Amino acid sequence: MTTPGDRGVARPGAWWRLGPFVEPATFQVAFTIFYALDAGFRVLFGYRFGLLSGPGLGAVAAGVLLVVALVVPWERLDPRLSLVLPVADIAVVGVTRLSPEGGNGMLLVFPALWLGRTWGRIGVWTTGVATLLLVTVPALLYSAPDPILMGRAVFFPLVAGAAALVIADGMERVRLGRAEAERQRDRLAEALETIDHQQRVSQAIFDTTDVGLILLGRSGEYAGMNRRHREFLELAFPEGHRGRAGQLGNVFAADARTPLEMEDMPSYRASQGEEFDDVRMWVGDDPAERRALSVSARTVRAEDGSFAGAALAYHDVTDFMRALRVKDEFVALVSHELRTPLTSIVGYVQILEEDETLTPRAQDQLQVVHRNAERLRRLIADLLDTAQRDGRPMPINRTTADLAAIVVESVEAARPAADRAGVGLTLSAPDRLSLGLDPQRIAQVVDNLVSNAVKYTEDGGHVAVRLSVDADRAEIEVTDTGIGISAPDRERLFTRFFRTADAASRAVAGAGLGLSITKDIVESHGGRIEVESEPGRGSVFRVRLPLQA
Ligand code: ADP
């Protein structure tokens, strides 16, 4: 923005300020000096003129104008009044030329530059018209019929006008350039204001959100954090935090007991460029006050792709974790209470089944009771397994056992169900395959996979079980031609209580625990489980167990 003190700076919008308002005295002094020099040189070289001649009157007029320019307080007057001076200068040149030798027409350059610079286009026109009326017309009248003088007289307005035009154009360009620069400056100021506003809005959002947020710098220093995260820090580091990732404090693993090592601290991992989701931990020493947090981290990259820091979000999941624990305790309690009467039911049913006096109908009904009691028993065992372990690894009792026999037994156990469902069941296995494993747990794995394959295959379908061995591992493969599993469902297949919508809608019995337990058993044997499937075409579950424990 311009200020009243900005002499010489264009002010767009006011026509009389088209060019910078340079004090009339400056131009008038310059004009007078050059006028005096011109006259002085002529006198020096022997030219003599009387006071009442053209040059004489011109000299007097120039002197008077200089005094006027110096004395009049132009700043306080309407700037348009200063137009009078350059026009009067043109008249002085006109008068000076009314002599046989003629004054120097080049002096017209001063008023022309003055007018062009200060008044722009108006100055150009004023120069042209004033030169025409005050220099050309009198000169034509005076010098006729001398062709050289007449030619010069006509030429003056053109030259003076051109000089005024050149300077006016230059000034216009400067003015436009300045106006553009000013616009840019205004736009920049506006943009800065917007950024500032947005920063304040972001900070407000940052502080209102219920999630703890921190931003780590390139070398793991805390570059920013919100109010919520400060609360978590106070719990975790009652002695204070040094503002650098990886500081040890009252931070515990998901079991709420094991203190986290530096390499396991989410902030340290994020500062090493790791990205993760839902890493659970507890902060705080006092069991009544401590909070459970679920932490996610994302890396921030510089333009060239290098590590520039990380952003971490700490979600308070205390209520969820406590609810999970209560649920697990409840499930464990209920399953435990159910198991004892159920064991006795199964025992008595087995005794009854051996009673040959029963009618065939009663035997059939008893088998149904037996099957369902077995199912209940397995479900309760699965529930207990899941609830009691509470995220801890599955304990296994390794002995040397024949895996081929385990697989054969599982397949035969599933055969009655397969027959009832109209599903073909085939097995291909070596005669013997001895290796170190927990036979009961591995039997549970094969039982789960085979019974799933039968359960999720429709009448007329087929299930093939194959046991094979190579140099360093045994492979159990269960292939079915059943309903299949979509890609998104496959991602969650091994999580507790997960069932596909397809399975649930077909009213196939199940609790969604079998596969999560299966995976735990396989992994605690050092093995891996994987699945390939296509909805509507069937699935292949493959378990690989190392031959060397
Ligand atoms: P469930 O007791 O429900 O069978 P699982 O943990 O064994 O529990 O299996 C989880 C879910 O995976 C099942 O509910 C079913 O939706 C899907 N599933 C498992 N095996 C198969 C299979 N062979 N074909 C299609 N879906 C399957």
Side-chain angles (χ1 to χ4, degrees), residues 452 455-456 480 485 493 498-500 503 510-515 539:
N452 272 353
K455 265 190 334 189
Y456 300 111
D480 66 57
I485 307 153
L493 209 56
F498 175 76
R499 304 201 69 209
T500 65
L513 285 173
L515 282 182
S539 315

Side-chain angles (χ1 to χ4, degrees), residues 379 382 448-457 463 478-486 489 492-504 508-518 531 533 538-541:
L379 176 64
D382 283 355
N448 266 332
L449 295 181
V450 178
S451 74
N452 272 353
V454 171
K455 265 190 334 189
Y456 300 111
T457 299
V463 172
V478 181
T479 309
D480 66 57
T481 57
I483 59 176
I485 307 153
S486 68
D489 282 347
R492 305 175 55 202
L493 209 56
F494 298 98
T495 36
R496 289 199 281 171
F497 299 107
F498 175 76
R499 304 201 69 209
T500 65
D502 207 8
V508 182
L513 285 173
L515 282 182
S516 89
I517 294 171
T518 298
V531 58
S533 185
S539 315
V540 183
F541 282 84

